[in-house]
Amino acid sequence: PDLDTYRGLGDAYSLSEDWPKAVDAYTKAVPFAQDGEMEFQRGHILIQEQDQYAEGKTAIRAALAKGGLKREGEAWILLGNAEYETGNEAAAIAAYFTDGLPQDQGHGRVLAQERQALSQSNGTRRVAGIADPVGRPDRAAARAQRACHGVEG
């Protein structure tokens, strides 16, 4: 087994929404990866699909530390969501206010807009992607991500 094998398995399990097997495959891919992409994939699933916020935060932090992420802005969004869900709103906001975020796939633009809205509301506005009106951060994040890519709905 190698990186490509485990990544392929993780991708296949993700497509079939078999989240535990996808996480296991990405976990096995981590030692072979030169960048943080496999940890990012693990964290994404753990946070967005399994509500395993503590483990997801650890994975996302490891991905950010290892570097080389194609979607670093999305990693910060996920980290912010997980921080909020575990009761650490200050850390959630800090994730959205991280300096030096890249403008990858529009995520940096969305974060900049949310920073401005938050500062104009004196901190009373919830950041998109942290919570939506029904309290589902995954839906709010998905909405923000669709906006980044110019997709309606």
Side-chain angles (χ1 to χ4, degrees):
D2 61 7
L3 175 63
D4 291 334
T5 301
Y6 288 128
R7 181 189 351 230
L9 280 171
D11 293 349
Y13 287 130
S14 290
L15 286 172
S16 67
E17 297 183 3
D18 190 339
W19 307 122
K21 288 183 180 177
V23 168
D24 183 57
Y26 291 134
T27 300
K28 290 177 180 174
V30 167
F32 299 101
Q34 298 298 311
D35 57 30
E37 286 295 322
M38 297 299 96
E39 287 286 4
F40 171 82
Q41 293 297 335
R42 285 185 67 241
H44 185 271
I45 292 169
L46 290 165
I47 294 167
Q48 292 292 102
E49 306 299 342
Q50 296 188 303
D51 297 336
Q52 294 181 18
Y53 302 112
E55 188 177 350
K57 288 191 300 185
T58 300
I60 294 296
R61 285 189 188 114
L64 289 164
K66 198 168 188 180
L69 297 178
K70 296 174 189 166
R71 299 174 291 180
E72 185 176 343
E74 188 173 346
W76 288 106
I77 290 171
L78 288 167
L79 183 59
N81 289 345
E83 291 290 3
Y84 181 79
E85 288 297 327
T86 55
N88 194 347
E89 189 167 333
I93 292 169
Y96 285 97
F97 280 77
T98 298
D99 291 332
L101 282 176
Q103 298 296 314
D104 65 313
Q105 300 178 7
H107 291 101
R109 179 175 40 84
V110 168
L111 290 172
Q113 291 168 349
E114 293 306 327
R115 290 174 187 158
Q116 181 179 11
L118 186 64
S119 65
Q120 290 173 349
S121 67
N122 297 321
T124 59
R125 183 178 184 279
R126 291 234 187 254
V127 178
I130 292 180
D132 72 3
V134 294
R136 291 294 313 243
D138 52 331
R139 290 185 185 151
R143 222 178 22 253
Q145 290 168 7
R146 285 193 302 273
C148 290
H149 299 286
V151 177
E152 296 295 322

